Amino acid sequence: MATSSQVDLTGTTYCVVSGASQGIGRAIAVEVAKLLGPKSLMLLLARNKIELAKTAELCASPNVEVRYESVDLSKSSNSEMYGLLRKSLEGRDVKGFVTSLIFHNVGSLGNLAVETWKMDDVDELRDYYDLNVFKVISLNTQFLKIFEEIDDRVVIVNITSLCAIKPMGGMAYYCSGKAAREMYFKVLAAEKAHIKVLNYSPGPVETAMIDFVLTEAVNDNLKDVFTSFKRQGTLLKPEMTAQKCVKVLQAGLFTPGEHVDYFDDE
Ligand SMILES: NC(=O)c1ccc[n+]([C@@H]2O[C@H](COP(=O)([O-])OP(=O)(O)OC[C@H]3O[C@@H](n4cnc5c(N)ncnc54)[C@H](OP(=O)(O)O)[C@@H]3O)[C@@H](O)[C@H]2O)c1
């Protein structure tokens, strides 16, 4: 493993977390906030403003100023995204940040009630890809524009899934979206060797997403897998996987664009 990927969070850091109103995104924001150096700044993004405010409260620290914006990332234009990032940086010189970090955590499961061989609703697929792939790419591009002159300080974490590399029956929207999203970040990492890019797969985590599978899935095997995770108590807590993600970053336990799973060294 390369150690040149080590991420130092103890300096003045700018950190954006998408999907920060609950679940894994909230846990990542909280774990990262504990580590950041003086004059750090966080921007939390999601739609639910009340829950974002709760996450911001949980992140409170003398070292960190936490800002949040309610935004539907599936609908946000490039200029709106750029504006959100710029607004969060108001009064700050981007060159003052030792590390500029973004967690692309936002995600949804897609339609679990349609069998793969019956999929033909292109508008629905397009909506799914908008949030989970296209708008992730646009947000990442706006972030890179802002830090273009100092992109050697940029760290990008894509929250991916085992489903990006292993097919899971009943989850064609999710698996294909995660695969496309992960490959975009791999290509970026291949082009920009000086930017640290990690594809982190959090393992099965007890969040609203799991409940969605249990209520919506029509694929029996998929339902069985998640029901047994729940029954056996094998689901991870969001803070467990968030801590592991931070550990991987700090220890530099990844090569450019590498897919690292929670269980890789467990
Ligand atoms: N849970 C697991 O077992 C698991 C396993 C592997 C990978 N993952 C990945 O981990 C990430 C987080 O998942 P999670 O389990 O924490 O899911 P979650 O609890 O459903 O959280 C999803 C987050 O995304 C936000 N979001 C959804 N649609 C949005 C939109 N249109 N605009 C802005 N924000 C939006 C939600 O906030 P609002 O509703 O407030 O907008 C929420 O904060 C996802 O990328 C997921 O694929 C999860």
Side-chain angles (χ1 to χ4, degrees), residues 19-25 46-48 71-74 105-107 131 159-161 174 178 181 202-205 207-210:
S21 62
Q22 60 182 46
I24 297 169
R47 290 166 302 182
N48 189 325
V71 55
D72 183 343
L73 287 167
S74 71
N105 166 76
V106 71
L131 176 67
I159 301 301
T160 186
S161 166
Y174 189 71
K178 283 293 191 197
R181 174 165 157 171
V205 187
T207 69
M209 225 176 225
I210 303 288

Side-chain angles (χ1 to χ4, degrees), residues 83-103:
L84 278 178
L85 297 175
R86 273 281 170 218
K87 187 177 158 208
S88 76
L89 287 161
E90 252 164 32
R92 305 294 292 266
D93 175 5
V94 292
K95 293 195 176 129
F97 295 104
V98 177
T99 303
S100 304
L101 171 61
I102 185 163
F103 288 91

Side-chain angles (χ1 to χ4, degrees), residues 52-71:
L52 279 173
K54 283 188 199 162
T55 307
E57 225 172 276
L58 292 168
C59 292
S61 133
N63 280 352
V64 190
E65 183 184 343
V66 188
R67 298 179 179 176
Y68 55 90
E69 287 286 349
S70 166
V71 55

